[in-house]
Amino acid sequence: MLQKIKETAEFIKAKVNDIPKTAIILGTGLGELVNHIEITDTINYQDIPNFPVSTVEGHSGKLIFGKLGNKRVMAMQGRFHFYEGYNMQQVTFPVRVMKALGITTLFVSNAAGGMNPKFKIGDIMIITDHINLFPEHPLRGKNYNELGPRFPEMSEAYSHRLIKDALKVAEEKGIKVQQGVYVGTQGPTFETPAEYTYFHRIGGDAVGMSTVPEVIVARHSGIEVFAISVITDLGLEGVELEKVSHEEVQLAAAKAQPYMTAIMEGLINEFKA
Ligand code: HPA
């Protein structure tokens, strides 16, 4: 694994000069942020040694390098989900490569179902913490001390200072944001009514199928993390559950996208690297 990470990082370093310290995983609701990046380099995942191979024909992602506001950034357009069949080492491999490249801060977005009765569809939720319910842990197996500790602590998985900065940016821009706990599950089914209720009762405010593995590996590596969800559907206790589809999730995310983009762009521009 160490050799693979090194090989991939070397490949990228040979292609890109001035490797950034900031990375972004452009999840749902944030795809448009790429249009705000002054792009200098693009590398297709399929050309990157050891990168997971996309399961969807013609749907391979890209690594994008460039300037967003006053920061050099590396953005992942397209991420790997556990439900697609990748194992956790594959899902989180790009984060290992980020660390090897010298990335110190990671920004992530996703779509999530809201369980908090104060939430509305289209709300933006700053993730303050998570509950990991994935059936496999990305750090299971041999630990490489060069990458991080055997038993990493998780008291501040989501950087408190970045949350503070984001709240300030949102307020300045007049964008309402929620804060809450993200429950990470494997999917690909959306939740049953009983599952939404269960996830809320154990302390979750929103549920989704990504982010948690990448955040765990980022924290294992000592990378600071900020993450944000767009609430695309609701599963509220005592309220009849409406059928949700992938299309509705995409539609709700698209509506919230300008606000999510504005917060991320403002935050990345302003935070102290
Ligand atoms: N559950 C899980 N993942 C999701 C949801 C949901 O309700 N909405 C968007 N991603």
Side-chain angles (χ1 to χ4, degrees):
M1 170 143 102
L2 295 178
Q3 191 48 40
K4 282 193 171 154
I5 296 166
K6 196 165 162 232
E7 188 186 17
T8 306
E10 292 303 324
F11 172 85
I12 295 168
K13 278 188 205 161
K15 288 217 177 283
V16 180
N17 52 49
D18 194 10
I19 298 274
K21 295 219 171 305
T22 303
I24 312 166
I25 299 177
L26 298 169
T28 308
L30 212 58
E32 210 245 309
L33 188 65
V34 76
N35 300 326
H36 300 237
I37 301 177
E38 254 177 74
I39 300 174
T40 57
D41 304 272
T42 302
I43 314 176
N44 291 326
Y45 290 168
Q46 71 218 37
D47 299 329
I48 305 176
N50 308 317
F51 243 56
V53 176
S54 176
T55 51
V56 192
E57 190 87 27
H59 203 80
S60 171
K62 293 178 198 139
L63 279 189
I64 292 160
F65 295 83
K67 208 157 179 212
L68 181 65
N70 62 19
K71 298 264 188 342
R72 280 273 303 161
V73 298
M74 159 183 171
M76 278 182 72
Q77 193 176 49
R79 62 142 61 100
F80 304 100
H81 298 92
F82 186 70
Y83 63 75
E84 293 175 84
Y86 301 109
N87 66 38
M88 281 299 190
Q89 278 66 38
Q90 293 172 307
V91 168
T92 59
F93 184 75
V95 181
R96 292 291 181 205
V97 173
M98 285 175 194
K99 177 66 184 180
L101 289 171
I103 294 291
T104 54
T105 316
L106 173 62
F107 296 84
V108 187
S109 84
N110 61 54
M115 285 112 43
N116 184 322
K118 296 198 178 108
F119 290 3
K120 305 241 174 326
I121 289 176
D123 274 0
I124 291 167
M125 182 188 92
I126 293 175
I127 301 180
T128 55
D129 205 348
H130 74 221
I131 297 174
N132 176 18
L133 293 183
F134 279 89
E136 190 187 310
H137 199 285
L139 303 182
R140 191 170 82 87
K142 177 175 163 62
N143 187 64
Y144 295 92
N145 292 323
E146 300 91 318
L147 300 181
R150 171 73 287 187
F151 300 108
E153 70 90 31
M154 294 290 280
S155 62
E156 193 181 337
Y158 300 83
S159 166
H160 293 175
R161 67 145 193 149
L162 293 178
I163 292 171
K164 239 180 169 175
D165 288 354
L167 289 170
K168 196 165 142 257
V169 168
E171 197 187 327
E172 281 166 5
K173 293 185 186 288
I175 301 169
K176 187 185 110 182
V177 286
Q178 306 281 6
Q179 297 180 61
V181 173
Y182 177 91
V183 177
T185 60
Q186 64 174 319
T189 45
F190 292 108
E191 283 60 39
T192 63
E195 285 166 343
Y196 282 117
T197 295
Y198 164 57
F199 292 156
H200 187 230
R201 289 195 192 173
I202 63 169
D205 296 293
V207 54
M209 308 172 195
S210 69
T211 303
V212 166
E214 293 115 311
V215 171
I216 288 173
V217 167
R219 297 304 299 137
H220 183 239
S221 317
I223 296 174
E224 192 176 14
V225 172
F226 174 82
I228 200 165
S229 297
V230 47
I231 305 299
T232 55
D233 52 281
L234 295 170
L236 305 178
E237 185 168 359
V239 178
E240 186 163 0
L241 186 62
E242 292 193 23
K243 280 197 170 66
V244 61
S245 66
H246 180 63
E247 288 67 32
E248 282 167 301
V249 165
Q250 295 301 318
L251 201 70
K255 282 196 190 146
Q257 174 143 284
Y259 306 105
M260 191 119 139
T261 305
I263 292 173
M264 273 294 198
E265 189 174 17
L267 174 62
I268 290 170
N269 199 36
E270 283 179 28
F271 90 101
K272 203 164 160 290

